[in-house]
Amino acid sequence: KVLTFTKRLLEDQGEDNSRVVNLSDYVDEKIYGYVSAGHGEYLSDEAIDTVRVRRKDVPSQSYDIMLKVNGDSMRPTFEDGEYIFVKKSKEIRNGQFGVFIINSESFLKKVYVDRDRLTLVSLNEEYPDLIFSQDDDIEMVGVVVI
C-alpha cells in the first residue's frame, strides 16, 4: 500500500518541481540583531540566533555580521524582514548605506556627513530624514554589503 501510495504521489507531482527545495541551496548564518528601517532597534555584540538563508542571497564579498531589517523606511531597496550583510567599518562615503547606533538605537540608512552633522536618509518618502549633531551619541557599525 505504501509503495502504491508513493507512486501515485509521484505521478501527481509530475514535472512540477516548484515545491522541491534543495537543502544545499541554503546556508546557516548567525544573526546579530535587528536594524531599524524606521524607528530605532536594539543591536547585539553577540549572535542572537542562527537562521537559514539561501546561499545565493549571501554576498560574495566579505562581511562581518548579518542583521534583520525591521520596518519599511528603506523600501524599495531594503524590505521589512530582509537580511542584510554588514562589513564593520568606521569609514563611510556619502550616499552609501550604513548601520549606525545612535543614542542606543540602531538604524539602517543612506548617509550624508557634513562638517558638524550626520544626516540619515530614508528612501521611503513617508519618513523624514534624521539629523544628528556632535551632541548625540553616534557609533558607526559598518557599511552594508550589496
Side-chain angles (χ1 to χ4, degrees), residues 7-39:
K7 284 181 180 180
R8 192 176 85 239
L9 284 177
L10 184 60
E11 288 171 8
D12 289 346
Q13 179 181 343
E15 296 297 318
D16 179 20
N17 291 326
S18 63
R19 293 182 291 164
V20 175
V21 175
N22 187 345
L23 293 180
S24 67
D25 292 342
Y26 289 80
V27 62
D28 291 336
E29 288 287 330
K30 290 181 179 8
I31 184 168
Y32 284 79
Y34 303 92
V35 64
S36 174
H39 311 287

Side-chain angles (χ1 to χ4, degrees), residues 2-123:
V2 172
L3 184 58
T4 303
F5 177 73
T6 55
K7 284 181 180 180
R8 192 176 85 239
L9 284 177
L10 184 60
E11 288 171 8
D12 289 346
Q13 179 181 343
E15 296 297 318
D16 179 20
N17 291 326
S18 63
R19 293 182 291 164
V20 175
V21 175
N22 187 345
L23 293 180
S24 67
D25 292 342
Y26 289 80
V27 62
D28 291 336
E29 288 287 330
K30 290 181 179 8
I31 184 168
Y32 284 79
Y34 303 92
V35 64
S36 174
H39 311 287
E41 284 284 346
Y42 171 74
L43 189 62
S44 176
D45 290 333
E46 301 289 327
I48 62 168
D49 200 359
T50 300
V51 296
R52 184 157 286 179
V53 295
R54 293 183 304 185
R55 191 177 300 274
K56 71 178 188 170
D57 293 337
V58 177
S60 58
Q61 55 190 109
S62 69
Y63 62 91
D64 297 306
I65 59 174
M66 184 179 77
L67 303 169
K68 186 174 185 177
V69 175
N70 276 348
D72 65 351
S73 74
M74 296 304 288
R75 287 182 56 213
T77 303
F78 301 102
E79 297 289 335
D80 183 35
E82 179 179 352
Y83 294 107
I84 62 168
F85 301 87
V86 178
K87 180 73 175 167
K88 289 185 178 181
S89 175
K90 298 299 177 192
E91 297 179 13
I92 192 166
R93 293 187 309 269
N94 281 337
Q96 284 186 300
F97 296 108
V99 173
F100 297 85
I101 299 174
I102 300 177
N103 302 326
S104 301
E105 296 181 323
S106 65
F107 294 92
L108 161 65
K109 299 290 181 189
K110 194 172 207 179
V111 65
Y112 293 95
V113 180
D114 293 324
R115 277 181 279 156
D116 58 348
R117 72 179 184 183
L118 171 71
T119 303
L120 301 181
V121 176
S122 298
L123 301 180

